[in-house]
Amino acid sequence: MSAEAADREAATSSRPCTPPQTSWFEFLLEEGLLEQHLQKPSPDPPPVQLIVQFLEQASKPSVNEQNQVQPPPDNKRNRILKLLALKVAAHLKWDLDVLEKSLSVPVLNMLLNELLCISKVPPGTKHVDVDLSSLPPTTAMAILLYNRWAIRTIVQSSFPVKQVKPGPPQLNVMNQMQQEKELTENILKVLKEQAADSILVLEGALKLNKDLYVHTIRTLDLLAMEPGMVNGETESSTAGLKISAEEIQCQVCYDLGAIYFQQGATNAAVHENAKEKFCKTKELIAKNGSSSLHFTIDEERLAGYCQACGVLTSSSDDVTPYSQIHSCMKSANYQDLVKIFLEDNLTLSLPVQFRQSVLRELFQKAQQGNDALDEVCFKVCVCNTVCDVLQGRTIDIHFCQLFLKPSKEKIDFLLEVCSRSINLENASEALKRKMAAFLKNLCLGLEDLQLVFMISSHELFIKLLKDDERKLLIDQMRKRSPRINLCTKPVTSFYDIPASPSVNIGQLEHQLILSVDPWRIRQILIELHGMTSERQFWTVSNKWEVPNVYGNVILGIKDNLTRDLVYILMAKGLHCCAIKDFVHAKQLFAACLELVTEFSPKLRQVMLNEMLLLDIYTHEAGAGASGERPPSDLISRVRGYLEMRVPDIPLRQVIAEECVAFLLNWSENEYLTMQVPLPLVQTNPYVKLGQLLAATCKELPGPKESRRTAKDLWEVVVQICSVSNQHKRGNDGRVSLIKHRESTLGIMYRSELLSFIKKLREPLVLTTILSLFVKLHNVREDIVNDIAAEHISIWPSSIPNLQSVDFEAVAVTVKELVSYALTVNANNHFWLIIQADIYFATNQYSAALHYYLQAGAVCSDFFNKMVPPDVYTDQVIKRMIKCCSLLNCHTQVAILCQFLREVDYKTAFKALQEQNSHDAMDSYYEYIWDVTILEYLTYLHHKRGETDKRQIAIKAIGQTELNASNPEEVLQLAAQRRKKKFLQAMAKLYF
């Protein structure tokens, strides 16, 4: 071996070896490895990467012998992987700042749902309906953590995100990114729908004046053990990491303030709530510090929030320059605005960025056609420029442009600003030199000697410049005199340089984004294409979105200007439609229709379809909301769309969906059942579903022979809710965190069915579909408490293959449908009974009583009339009795036993024997009309030696209207009067 080779080998062998990265499966094999790994100074892989790996492996589908993809099995391996992910998060002390920074929304959603699951939060339970004070501390903390993350995610999603410049296109990577983007959007949609509930949960948490505990690695190990191995330590013990009540309040106040501030963009009154929460946060930080055991507050961000709230909610007690400026801009009081800027030139309290933003806003308003603002823009710009000069910053380009044509008035105002911006007695020499240099350069830039004389003869100028400096400046001006420079070409001054083309293009693009006037949009695009032919202006805003089925056709237009115009008009029209600005949407669509009619029959039909959808939305939001039937022309156009058979026309599924929902909502059952073409039923799933719904509703109520259509509808919905073994894997062979897809056995996905149902408003249609899902829910073998519904007898009583139905999805669907139905009509007593039964079935007895009582109240004028017997059936009364019993309200149980057709004395007597009752007890005796129960009460209190309560019972039994000798009518009237008073008292208690 040569000496050189030996040296090289020695050098190589002396290099330190990088230890191999620990693989995820090693943590499965060795029990204590995870804790050892996390204790390292710089563990590799880092904790957040471990969370992703564990959850990715736990959610990975399996493949059976037939090479079919199966959902992730619920086996020991996957449960341990999920537990390991939770342990890593516990090691990070559930710090949402760390987790949100490093984990995507889908991963963090999955992690927190696993935390809820292991913390014994019942799946499908609405957190807003849960009493946090009654839960174990770690369970309450898990609910708080989830809801904090929910509103933080909503706030974070509202911030603009700079788009990452894409690298070389890779199909597999793009597919994964698209899947994750769609999943994130779906999760955000659900979080936003539940935002009000999350806010209520957190507001309720502020009332909790007790410490909570968050899971640690140790408590997670305890939960994972068998019940007999926990050694007496339970979830409600203090084995977790203690979080003080003040720490919880501090972070919850901050998070609530952020969501209220974000909501203030559409509801200014909410800013008061945000201000209150941020002020409370500041108080708690001052008391406890910003960095505690569990929470970290960004004090700079908090200060920014407080400052913004101070501006937006200005009061007489809290007046700041920001709030004054905000008020002036809002009321167009520009004279006071200039005055504030002038005064601030001495105090310099406003940041330069804020000054520039106000000026930009004024420029935007001026560009929109308000010529009166030109003078205000100049004055504010002068104030900003003098401020920049005194602080040593460069002069802004706006001042140079506005001063291209100086006048006597402009010079006068400029000199006034300069004079009021510097106190010569107290100013430093450096400040005086900066102001003198500015005035000197200003004179050298002016060509009109009269304007130069105005400056040079001003008192400020004379005080700032010495005699020799003034003489030197006058000599320079004389040398630049026109008599001397007649033959020389004047040098272009910096102030004369026009704005660059890029500045003009940027301004026009900004106007293009803001404008909703189709003719102005066309004019701006013509100007932009005249400046450059290289840009694709339909990409200016990432908010301009056109469905893919349309995008391919539009982007195929060869003429660049026409392509940009059509794309932008449609994108803006769809956006206006989405935010219910139907007037502007109609203008934009009409202009687009007129444009495409000239060259593309295909796009013309597309625009006609979109205008039909717009007209449906307009009617449903306007006249339709008050019950006015749509014009016959609109109904004919809807039918025409469904029957349209034009080839190669790109169609959006949502239009067919809305058309069918429109016909169902306006009871066009005859058309859907008899006149709709058969090929349309076979090819369009929404038309088929609409036909079955219409036919079923048409035959209600009917004989058994007419239940054939109900059976057909039942079979279609059962197929939709059945589990499918067909799942997709990425083209690269990898499986992402996205769970297996919904069933493809039916005519549509369950989520699509739910979305369609939420477009329906017709009571009979909603009742029918609710009845079907309730029956499907009740068919389940392990069901304990059935849910009642109207017309439930028309559906089949069994399913051939029970294992194929996803009953968990059915239960979730029932809950969502009832919640939606009650938004359509909150006074439908049958829907309220279904909601109550759902809460009863999930052991939420207080909420169940609320809805049972509400159902009775809406159909009896708040119990002033008799509740119909088909509403308060014996089954409903028995469930109300059980609710009261489990809530330890035993006197209420005894009174409700009288409501049954045959009084249940056994239950009533047993309830009255209970001494630990959580209700008003003897205060309720006046509501008892059954003499037997009153006699038993008298005996019971006498036996216990309770003299006072015995006297109350004797007083109740001694009322003449309860005398057994009275006519039946008198006894019935006495019972009815007591029923009314008792139910009203119950309603006040549970509403």
Side-chain angles (χ1 to χ4, degrees):
M1 181 186 294
S2 67
E4 185 180 349
D7 290 342
R8 189 163 56 248
E9 184 177 345
T12 305
S13 61
S14 64
R15 290 185 193 132
C17 284
T18 304
Q21 190 182 67
T22 311
S23 298
W24 63 267
F25 60 83
E26 294 180 51
F27 299 103
L28 280 173
L29 304 175
E30 189 175 338
E31 188 174 343
L33 181 60
L34 180 63
E35 291 186 53
Q36 295 173 17
H37 178 79
L38 294 174
Q39 296 304 322
K40 293 179 183 177
S42 299
D44 184 27
V48 286
Q49 189 177 333
L50 280 177
I51 292 175
V52 176
Q53 290 177 359
F54 290 149
L55 292 180
E56 183 177 356
Q57 295 301 323
S59 63
K60 185 177 287 187
S62 58
V63 181
N64 62 12
E65 295 175 355
Q66 289 78 30
N67 204 27
Q68 294 175 321
V69 181
Q70 303 287 331
D74 184 20
N75 52 27
K76 185 177 179 181
R77 168 190 175 274
N78 286 347
R79 286 195 294 272
I80 293 174
L81 283 169
K82 291 174 184 177
L83 182 65
L84 289 174
L86 291 171
K87 283 185 177 182
V88 178
H91 169 75
L92 297 172
K93 297 181 180 177
W94 301 100
D95 190 336
L96 286 181
D97 288 331
V98 174
L99 295 173
E100 288 169 343
K101 185 177 179 182
S102 308
L103 300 178
S104 65
V105 171
V107 174
L108 195 44
N109 180 57
M110 188 175 177
L111 178 71
L112 292 177
N113 274 299
E114 289 301 330
L115 174 64
L116 292 173
C117 184
I118 204 168
S119 300
K120 307 295 189 296
V121 178
T125 303
K126 280 191 172 184
H127 295 171
V128 72
D129 296 327
V130 176
D131 182 9
L132 294 179
S133 62
S134 65
L135 296 176
T138 46
T139 306
M141 194 65 198
I143 291 176
L144 278 189
L145 202 62
Y146 177 85
N147 286 281
R148 278 188 52 225
W149 168 76
I151 64 171
R152 285 164 67 105
T153 304
I154 293 169
V155 172
Q156 194 63 35
S157 69
S158 66
F159 296 154
V161 179
K162 186 176 181 181
Q163 287 190 322
V164 181
K165 210 169 186 179
Q170 298 179 18
L171 188 60
N172 297 335
V173 175
M174 288 173 69
N175 285 341
Q176 288 178 5
M177 289 173 63
Q178 182 63 26
Q179 286 180 336
E180 185 166 332
K181 181 184 176 184
E182 289 175 2
L183 187 56
T184 301
E185 288 173 353
N186 290 337
I187 293 171
L188 275 172
K189 182 181 177 184
V190 173
L191 293 180
K192 287 175 181 177
E193 288 174 356
Q194 299 172 350
D197 287 352
S198 293
I199 290 171
L200 287 175
V201 170
L202 296 184
E203 286 284 7
L206 294 178
K207 300 172 185 174
L208 281 177
N209 291 318
K210 67 174 185 178
D211 300 338
L212 296 181
Y213 296 85
V214 68
H215 280 303
T216 60
I217 293 178
R218 179 164 172 263
T219 59
L220 290 170
D221 279 333
L222 288 173
L223 287 173
M225 290 179 184
E226 295 297 328
M229 299 171 62
V230 182
N231 298 326
E233 240 180 316
T234 64
E235 191 183 0
S236 60
S237 70
T238 57
L241 180 65
K242 180 179 177 181
I243 312 298
S244 71
E246 288 185 339
E247 286 181 88
I248 294 167
Q249 287 187 351
C250 183
Q251 186 64 60
V252 169
C253 278
Y254 180 74
D255 292 336
L256 280 171
I259 189 71
Y260 284 144
F261 189 86
Q262 187 245 351
Q263 290 177 344
T266 54
N267 182 5
V270 183
H271 281 132
E272 289 289 351
N273 293 342
K275 184 178 180 180
E276 178 190 339
K277 297 303 181 211
F278 286 134
C279 289
K280 180 68 175 175
T281 306
K282 286 182 74 174
E283 288 175 18
L284 291 167
I285 286 176
K287 186 177 179 182
N288 304 308
S290 61
S291 296
S292 60
L293 184 65
H294 186 59
F295 300 129
T296 304
I297 303 284
D298 185 345
E299 289 195 70
E300 289 185 4
R301 195 174 191 84
L302 175 61
Y305 272 131
C306 290
Q307 196 172 63
C309 289
V311 172
L312 297 168
T313 61
S314 56
S315 62
S316 56
D317 301 328
D318 185 22
V319 177
T320 64
Y322 297 101
S323 61
Q324 289 177 319
I325 290 171
H326 179 72
S327 176
C328 290
M329 293 289 285
K330 199 172 179 181
S331 61
N333 185 1
Y334 300 118
Q335 188 175 351
D336 285 353
L337 178 72
V338 174
K339 184 180 176 183
I340 295 167
F341 271 78
L342 258 174
E343 291 171 354
D344 188 71
N345 274 15
L346 270 177
T347 59
L348 301 176
S349 62
L350 296 175
V352 61
Q353 294 86 355
F354 179 74
R355 283 172 162 268
Q356 290 169 353
S357 69
V358 173
L359 182 58
R360 277 196 297 273
E361 189 173 343
L362 289 169
F363 273 125
Q364 287 171 8
K365 290 183 177 180
Q367 287 169 358
Q368 289 169 1
N370 193 344
D371 296 333
L373 282 177
D374 289 342
E375 184 183 352
V376 179
C377 289
F378 171 75
K379 289 184 176 182
V380 174
C381 185
V382 167
C383 292
N384 283 356
T385 302
V386 173
C387 181
D388 289 340
V389 167
L390 293 174
Q391 293 186 308
R393 290 189 292 269
T394 55
I395 295 173
D396 190 67
I397 186 69
H398 290 304
F399 176 77
C400 305
Q401 291 175 331
L402 292 171
F403 221 69
L404 282 174
K405 295 180 180 178
S407 63
K408 182 178 180 299
E409 290 75 17
K410 288 183 176 181
I411 296 293
D412 274 338
F413 182 76
L414 175 63
L415 291 170
E416 181 190 354
V417 173
C418 291
S419 301
R420 293 176 61 177
S421 300
I422 186 169
N423 187 343
L424 291 176
E425 295 178 3
N426 302 324
S428 64
E429 285 301 318
L431 212 59
K432 291 177 182 178
R433 282 198 299 272
K434 288 174 185 175
M435 182 64 81
F438 172 65
L439 293 174
K440 185 177 174 182
N441 289 332
L442 197 62
C443 289
L444 291 171
L446 293 171
E447 294 182 358
D448 190 336
L449 291 178
Q450 188 177 359
L451 298 179
V452 173
F453 179 73
M454 282 179 65
I455 298 173
S456 61
S457 60
H458 194 272
E459 182 183 1
L460 179 66
F461 187 87
I462 294 170
K463 288 182 179 179
L464 287 174
L465 271 77
K466 298 176 183 177
D467 291 341
D468 53 349
E469 287 178 320
R470 289 202 303 275
K471 287 178 183 177
L472 183 61
L473 177 61
I474 292 168
D475 289 340
Q476 287 177 324
M477 297 299 296
R478 283 175 180 166
K479 288 177 183 178
R480 210 192 59 180
S481 169
R483 278 187 298 113
I484 300 170
N485 295 320
L486 277 175
C487 301
T488 60
K489 185 177 180 181
V491 178
T492 304
S493 167
F494 170 74
Y495 304 111
D496 296 325
I497 298 174
S500 66
S502 62
V503 174
N504 292 332
I505 290 175
Q507 291 172 347
L508 286 172
E509 287 179 347
H510 186 68
Q511 292 178 35
L512 185 64
I513 291 171
L514 294 177
S515 180
V516 288
D517 179 0
W519 305 113
R520 178 63 183 147
I521 292 168
R522 180 176 176 274
Q523 182 184 358
I524 292 170
L525 281 173
I526 290 171
E527 290 183 45
L528 287 170
H529 277 275
M531 292 179 178
T532 175
S533 59
E534 299 174 358
R535 294 282 301 277
Q536 294 180 336
F537 292 103
W538 61 272
T539 62
V540 164
S541 173
N542 61 356
K543 299 292 185 184
W544 291 341
E545 294 181 356
V546 166
N548 291 333
V549 288
Y550 297 163
N552 297 332
V553 180
I554 295 172
L555 298 181
I557 298 172
K558 293 181 180 178
D559 181 67
N560 292 342
L561 173 60
T562 307
R563 179 197 60 214
D564 286 348
L565 184 55
V566 172
Y567 189 97
I568 293 170
L569 287 174
M570 178 174 282
K572 283 179 173 283
L574 290 170
H575 174 70
C576 288
C577 199
I579 62 172
K580 298 186 177 357
D581 183 1
F582 300 130
V583 175
H584 283 121
K586 197 169 188 72
Q587 292 173 0
L588 291 158
F589 281 165
C592 193
L593 175 62
E594 184 181 345
L595 177 64
V596 299
T597 300
E598 300 174 1
F599 65 89
S600 175
K602 186 183 293 187
L603 283 174
R604 177 181 178 276
Q605 188 59 53
V606 164
M607 291 314 304
L608 289 172
N609 296 344
E610 288 298 329
M611 291 187 79
L612 170 62
L613 181 61
L614 175 61
D615 288 343
I616 291 174
Y617 285 153
T618 306
H619 179 268
E620 295 296 88
S626 58
E628 184 180 327
R629 277 192 65 80
S632 56
D633 170 60
L634 181 56
I635 294 175
S636 299
R637 287 168 60 202
V638 169
R639 293 179 178 182
Y641 174 82
L642 292 175
E643 297 169 11
M644 182 177 63
R645 284 293 173 270
V646 182
D648 300 330
I649 298 295
L651 300 174
R652 281 211 295 159
Q653 191 68 38
V654 69
I655 304 180
E657 191 178 343
E658 289 288 351
C659 285
V660 175
F662 179 81
L663 293 174
L664 284 170
N665 284 334
W666 295 106
S667 302
E668 291 291 320
N669 296 340
E670 194 68 33
Y671 171 77
L672 285 170
T673 52
M674 305 295 292
Q675 300 175 28
V676 82
L678 182 60
L680 184 60
V681 177
Q682 294 170 341
T683 57
N684 192 316
Y686 292 102
V687 175
K688 181 175 182 179
L689 183 64
Q691 185 186 61
L692 291 171
L693 269 170
T696 305
C697 293
K698 190 179 172 186
E699 294 174 356
L700 285 176
K704 289 188 176 180
E705 293 76 21
S706 67
R707 295 180 184 176
R708 185 177 56 81
T709 54
K711 185 182 178 184
D712 292 341
L713 178 60
W714 168 269
E715 289 174 351
V716 165
V717 173
V718 167
Q719 277 194 323
I720 291 172
C721 296
S722 296
V723 178
S724 167
N725 293 326
Q726 299 299 318
H727 304 287
K728 284 193 175 179
R729 182 183 287 273
N731 293 333
D732 59 348
R734 295 177 60 189
V735 179
S736 64
L737 277 173
I738 299 173
K739 293 188 176 181
H740 67 277
R741 298 184 63 184
E742 296 181 71
S743 168
T744 53
L745 296 174
I747 58 174
M748 62 181 72
Y749 293 130
R750 186 181 63 87
S751 59
E752 292 173 335
L753 172 62
L754 192 59
S755 173
F756 172 72
I757 295 170
K758 287 184 177 181
K759 292 177 170 57
L760 303 175
R761 290 183 295 99
E762 210 284 321
L764 184 57
V765 177
L766 281 174
T767 298
T768 303
I769 198 72
L770 256 176
S771 170
L772 189 155
F773 271 99
V774 166
K775 181 66 176 181
L776 187 55
H777 174 273
N778 292 345
V779 167
R780 187 172 179 172
E781 288 178 338
D782 58 347
I783 199 75
V784 178
N785 297 305
D786 280 357
I787 300 173
E790 279 187 288
H791 312 305
I792 204 162
S793 60
I794 69 171
W795 311 110
S797 56
S798 62
I799 300 173
N801 188 6
L802 273 176
Q803 290 74 22
S804 66
V805 179
D806 186 353
F807 282 107
E808 287 186 10
V810 171
V812 171
T813 306
V814 171
K815 291 176 185 177
E816 289 195 45
L817 288 184
V818 178
S819 298
Y820 167 71
L822 290 174
T823 63
V824 175
N825 180 8
N827 294 326
N828 188 306
H829 47 271
F830 289 114
W831 298 347
L832 289 166
I833 291 289
I834 295 173
Q835 180 72 84
D837 282 350
I838 290 171
Y839 281 124
F840 181 82
T842 53
N843 305 327
Q844 298 179 67
Y845 303 114
S846 180
L849 270 175
H850 169 91
Y851 281 100
Y852 283 132
L853 289 165
Q854 191 173 340
V858 298
C859 62
S860 64
D861 190 19
F862 197 65
F863 303 113
N864 285 308
K865 300 174 183 175
M866 184 177 171
V867 179
D870 61 336
V871 177
Y872 275 2
T873 61
D874 270 9
Q875 181 183 350
V876 170
I877 297 297
K878 284 177 181 177
R879 290 189 171 185
M880 291 173 73
I881 288 170
K882 186 173 181 181
C883 288
C884 292
S885 178
L886 291 167
L887 292 170
N888 288 330
C889 299
H890 301 296
T891 316
Q892 293 174 9
V893 170
I895 296 172
L896 284 170
C897 286
Q898 303 172 107
F899 283 62
L900 296 167
R901 291 180 185 176
E902 293 184 8
V903 180
D904 187 353
Y905 291 113
K906 182 181 178 181
T907 303
F909 293 165
K910 185 179 178 183
L912 292 172
Q913 288 171 10
E914 296 284 348
Q915 290 185 287
N916 183 25
S917 187
H918 293 170
D919 56 22
M921 299 181 70
D922 49 354
S923 298
Y924 282 141
Y925 291 175
E926 61 179 302
Y927 305 133
I928 302 175
W929 64 88
D930 188 280
V931 177
T932 306
I933 293 176
L934 286 169
E935 287 174 346
Y936 180 77
L937 269 172
T938 307
Y939 158 75
L940 195 64
H941 290 312
H942 175 73
K943 184 180 176 183
R944 292 176 181 169
E946 297 168 344
T947 310
D948 293 343
K949 292 182 179 180
R950 178 173 172 271
Q951 287 301 321
I952 295 171
I954 291 172
K955 184 180 177 183
I957 204 173
Q959 296 180 70
T960 54
E961 58 187 358
L962 296 183
N963 194 317
S965 303
N966 287 336
E968 187 65 26
E969 295 81 4
V970 175
L971 293 174
Q972 287 291 337
L973 191 62
Q976 189 56 39
R977 190 162 64 85
R978 284 163 175 74
K979 280 184 181 180
K980 165 192 164 183
K981 288 185 176 180
F982 173 68
L983 290 171
Q984 286 177 342
M986 288 278 283
K988 289 176 183 176
L989 186 63
Y990 288 101
F991 278 9

